[in-house]
Amino acid sequence: MYAFEYHKPSSVQDAVAALSDKEDPKIVAGGMTLLPTMKQRLASPSDLIDLGGLPELVGIREEGNSLVIGAMTTHAEVARNETVQARIPALAKLAGGIGDPQVRHRGTIGGSVANADPAADYPAALLGLGAAVITNQREIAADDFFVDLFETALEPSELITAVRFPIPQRAGYSKFPNPASRYAIVGVFVAQTDGGVRVAVTGAKGSVFRVTEMEQALASNFSPESVANIRVPADDMNSDIHASSEYRAHLVTVMAKRAVAAAEG
Amino acid sequence: MAETGIGASVRRKEDPRFLTGRGRYVDDINRPGQLHAYFLRSPVAHARLTSIDTSAAEQAPGVVAVFTGQDMAADNVGSLPCGWVVTDRHGEPHKAPPHYPLARDKVRYVGDHIAMVVAETRAQARDAVDLIDVDYEELPAIVDVRDAMTGSLVHDEAPSNLCFDWELGDQAAVNEAMGQAAHVVELDLVNNRLIPNAMEPRAAIGDYDPGTEAYTVYSTSQNPHLLRLILCAFVLNLPETKVRVIAPDVGGGFGSKIFAYAEETCCTWAAKKVGRPVKWTAGRDEAFVSDAHGRDHFTNVKLALDQEGKFLALKVDTTANLGAYLSSFSTCVPTYLYATLLAGQYATPAIYANVKGVFTTTAPVDAYRGAGRPEATYLIERIVEVAARKLGMDPAELRRKNFIQPDQFPYQTPVALTYDTGNYEPSLDLALQMIDYQGFAARRAESERRGKLRGIGFSAYIEACGIAPSAVVGALGAGVGLWESAQVRFNATGTVSVMTGAHSHGQGHETTFAQLVSEKLGIPYENVEVVHGDTGAIPMGMGTYGSRSLAVGGSAIVRACDKIVEKGRKIAAHLLEASVDDVEFKEGKFTVVGTDRSKTMAEVAFTAYVPHNYPEGVEPGLDETAFYDPLNFTYPAGVHIAEVEVDPDTGITTIMDWVAVDDFGRVLNPMIVEGQVHGGIAQGVGQALLENCVYDKESGQLITGSYMDYTMPRADDLPPFRVGMTTTECTHNPLGVKGCGEAGAIAAPPALINAITDAIGTEIDMPATPEKVWRVCQAQFVQAAE
Ligand SMILES: Cc1cc2nc3c(=O)[nH]c(=O)nc-3n(C[C@H](O)[C@H](O)[C@H](O)COP(=O)(O)OP(=O)(O)OC[C@H]3O[C@@H](n4cnc5c(N)ncnc54)[C@H](O)[C@@H]3O)c2cc1C
């Protein structure tokens, strides 16, 4: 790790100001991703802006037909929160399957979403539920938010304050974890929402994506069999020592089937 | 049996200390004025070093010194030796190119040591490392054993990258049997390369006292005297009287902390150069690239059988990866600790093995839990399973048919070892009963109804523990004797200090050795303290590896206790005014035979230190040392059976059940033994399903350099293990014990792979990752469709 300046602002405004002022600032939330990268000297920000002093970014509330989850809410909190468990149980289950207990008690939804790791779980839920990312400046639809590998629609001095999840009729998440890291090799989030059926896949490509063919099939018949024979092309899928692109493509179908089954309860 | 004596599951004495964070590991130790070292490691797999410019690093904040291989050469620092000379098929000793602590001309693997920065803080040392400017003239990498002999030369001294081409057994007899056999089955297999991953990374402190001209080395070592010997006699040319090595609490080793490494050597040497203590603690990233790795064989095996399934001959052809340099015992692992075990539990009359040890541009490979024996067991148990399927025989019955029979012991194998004792059928029978072998077909059918493939797999393993009779290993090329020492010292108040040459880094010696001494001397368990891991405090000892601590170290303790009792009898006889011959020792008391006149051990010990009324000609004090050189290896054996369910949709294997029936001879503490079995199986499951060290073929970079990619087994990967026991006592050591530390890691991999291949109906290599298994299932699905 290289030396850096540490700041702990007491308002979102101060945090944004610090972000705009400093030479190469970085927000630190749970630090679960950022700190290891800094320790490995792969990141060397000049300043760290710690959001740990902003209680207004923590918490879960129901707003109309949505759940709004503050950016600094930990995975553990989302997993055990009764409202989430009652309204979007698939989301609670997803959060409870991230990393290990230590990671879940430090890592935050804002950090995970901002980081846009191609193997992270939350992006599947955001895209699958048609969520919106709320920042200090605007609301960004999940469909527009995840751009590419570790790339989002966020501006340099933009800060996520919350994520708004529409409450679906039903939803399910099924993840094939990387045996080593336990991130998603493939994770599929399926939801039946007021706006239709959505199927979002994480882990398989550079960024989370939807499978419209599956969405259409499920719209006419919401059952595992509807997706059992829908194959996604392997061409642009990730490939590494744990899973080839061909295997990932196959897993998308298997995990989609299981996610639908989970949604059926 | 006393509550704390031999056979009692006493809770471990050391655990309160470990569980409450009060263990004292090398990294917990800080010496006054201590500096910190950080190493510049090679970022490339293979290159000539054309220039190293350290000037900027030397000017960096906090930097005290920067050293390179040239500085060590100028000080005549030697090469890290390999302690076992293997003589090849042509009578030539193995090729032993130098292994300097800091590279002098070339780097040969990613992580190889180029320079050492010593600074006030670790962070400063690390910052300065980035300022060292090195020019690399890159050379091709070779990472796969199968490519080694045609790849670019790692060492000029070793043409074709061949370190040795070694053989054992009667080739002609094997060829003849193969020619005439009714059946010959054959298999190519990979024994995957593993990274040890002890919980505590390696660490060292070199501390030099100019007043006494003596060094103290704190090191995460499994064998402090061996490290001292190597540092003094081979590398730094120092008198042993001037070097004390302390290996305090050590958090796991699995073999990887046997060896003398560059880092502790450099810290020791540098401590005198800079006049201050120098500390180094590996980061986990450094552990991945620089701890000696394990296994990494490619093997072709053939088994010849007669019409009825009797084994006639076994032929093994192995290429073993030794890595870029020879680590301390690297040469004996794929030879004498491997091919000598190829008889397994079977009366195969003819066996021949050819092993080629090759250099590659990868980290050195050396002993890792089981060391050679897992590789042997794996291939035997795989090929036996293949034979059972080919001949359409029940795999349990094929094994039973070929077991060495109880009346054949002592059994001379065709591969040099003589098994003193064993009885293999009872273990098989108990394991079959525990797993409910009869019910397997029904369980399989039930799995099938759920769309799952169920399989059952056997492993009838043997291992050789208690390394080793010194004369035998000497004749085979070992550079050291493999006896063990113990000193049993009564203190005046009746407590006992036991100084052992064995080293505990997870084995629980502080408990089991105390149980042993308590029982032998009839004194309370609480009164026994076990001291280990400090050359300044214990007699010269050989340390812990190869499941030798109890069989060899425990035997030395027994001998020292015997001496204590002998001397005690003389003192007691004097106090009791009886003849020595009339005094017997039992349950802590010296009694005049046939009377109730007696003296307790504590009274005798007190008299020995306060000898006011004392026998003539007997020395005061009660403090005895014994050295024990074993007469043979010990041969633990057993049967593991694994049952798995494979999900053909994903290729995921779930372990449904596991039974392990082991014969470890006499058992001192069943709880500790069971724990060792559990840990061993976990590591074996790791190798079979999850763990795999992968280097990139082109660049030679370590791809699995962190836990993001190197899959350690976790609790939820493992089923509950069911452990059973049978017993034949070792015939040649005083306790009848055999050793249990490695058995699980040896037995588990073939049991699991055999279960998977039974489920999916095709051979598969380790690790059986989901994708590999899925591909096989897919191929069969396609075949079936056609
Ligand atoms: C061992 C381990 C296992 C893991 N396993 C999984 C897993 O299975 N699935 C999974 O999805 N993830 C996994 N993770 C990642 C984990 O979920 C992290 O918590 C998450 O990716 C980052 O969240 P954080 O709060 O720690 O963010 P940090 O590490 O603090 O920050 C990450 C990035 O986001 C930026 N950032 C943080 N908060 C904001 C904000 N409010 N607005 C704008 N930018 C922001 C930071 O500047 C930084 O660039 C794992 C991590 C570890 C260490």
Side-chain angles (χ1 to χ4, degrees), chain A residues 41 180 182 244 247 250 258, chain B residues 127 130 647 649-650 714 771:
Chain A
R41 304 188 157 198
R182 305 258 166 128
S244 66
Y247 183 49
H250 164 76
R258 293 182 184 182
Chain B
D127 283 343
D130 288 350
D647 175 356
D649 273 353
T650 57
R714 303 190 203 185
E771 176 162 8

Side-chain angles (χ1 to χ4, degrees), chain A residues 159-184:
Chain A
L159 185 151
I160 300 175
T161 56
V163 180
R164 182 195 310 278
F165 291 97
I167 296 170
Q169 287 136 33
R170 50 184 169 175
Y173 182 61
S174 186
K175 167 182 181 178
F176 186 95
N178 177 315
S181 73
R182 305 258 166 128
Y183 274 84

Side-chain angles (χ1 to χ4, degrees), chain A residues 26-34 51 71 75 98-100 103 107-108 110-112 114-115 120-121 154 159-160 175 182-183:
Chain A
K26 268 251 175 240
I27 289 171
V28 62
M32 291 292 93
T33 295
L34 184 57
L51 302 187
H75 310 328
I98 294 176
D100 49 50
V103 168
T108 66
S112 178
N115 195 51
D121 293 293
L154 286 177
L159 185 151
I160 300 175
K175 167 182 181 178
R182 305 258 166 128
Y183 274 84

Side-chain angles (χ1 to χ4, degrees), chain A:
Chain A
M1 194 178 282
Y2 296 103
F4 56 85
E5 292 289 326
Y6 174 82
H7 311 270
K8 193 168 184 180
S10 50
S11 72
V12 171
Q13 264 158 330
D14 289 353
V16 173
L19 270 182
S20 337
D21 288 355
K22 309 297 176 198
E23 187 192 329
D24 185 14
K26 268 251 175 240
I27 289 171
V28 62
M32 291 292 93
T33 295
L34 184 57
L35 296 186
T37 0
M38 288 171 65
K39 282 189 187 165
Q40 289 170 60
R41 304 188 157 198
L42 299 172
S44 51
S46 62
D47 296 78
L48 278 194
I49 324 287
D50 185 354
L51 302 187
L54 306 175
E56 63 266 40
L57 297 188
V58 183
I60 298 165
R61 59 176 197 277
E62 209 170 332
E63 263 186 32
N65 199 31
S66 295
L67 287 188
V68 178
I69 302 182
M72 286 297 287
T73 310
T74 62
H75 310 328
E77 181 52 35
V78 174
R80 71 167 167 244
N81 181 274
E82 282 171 14
T83 311
V84 182
Q85 285 178 358
R87 297 287 179 245
I88 320 180
L91 184 61
K93 184 190 154 207
L94 174 148
I98 294 176
D100 49 50
Q102 289 88 334
V103 168
R104 291 197 289 276
H105 280 86
R106 291 290 311 165
T108 66
I109 188 169
S112 178
V113 170
N115 195 51
D117 189 309
D121 293 293
Y122 268 130
L126 265 72
L127 195 61
L129 290 164
V133 177
I134 307 172
T135 76
N136 59 314
Q137 299 173 9
R138 54 184 169 151
E139 278 200 31
I140 311 167
D143 285 290
D144 305 322
F145 183 83
F146 298 102
V147 176
D148 205 347
L149 194 80
F150 300 109
E151 200 186 322
T152 68
L154 286 177
E155 299 293 333
S157 58
E158 196 170 5
L159 185 151
I160 300 175
T161 56
V163 180
R164 182 195 310 278
F165 291 97
I167 296 170
Q169 287 136 33
R170 50 184 169 175
Y173 182 61
S174 186
K175 167 182 181 178
F176 186 95
N178 177 315
S181 73
R182 305 258 166 128
Y183 274 84
I185 278 186
V186 167
V188 178
F189 201 101
V190 174
Q192 202 167 27
T193 70
D194 294 344
V197 175
R198 296 172 69 102
V199 176
V201 179
T202 189
K205 292 191 190 178
S207 184
V208 61
F209 63 95
R210 287 170 66 181
V211 186
T212 39
E213 200 186 336
M214 287 184 178
E215 292 178 352
Q216 284 157 6
L218 289 169
S220 56
N221 178 13
F222 196 87
S223 81
E225 292 71 42
S226 299
V227 293
N229 292 314
I230 299 179
R231 315 243 161 258
V232 292
D235 313 336
D236 52 350
M237 294 230 167
N238 301 333
S239 180
D240 56 33
I241 58 167
H242 302 288
S244 66
S245 49
E246 195 188 349
Y247 183 49
R248 275 191 165 84
H250 164 76
L251 287 175
V252 169
T253 305
V254 178
M255 292 302 120
K257 231 166 51 181
R258 293 182 184 182
V260 175
E264 285 181 316

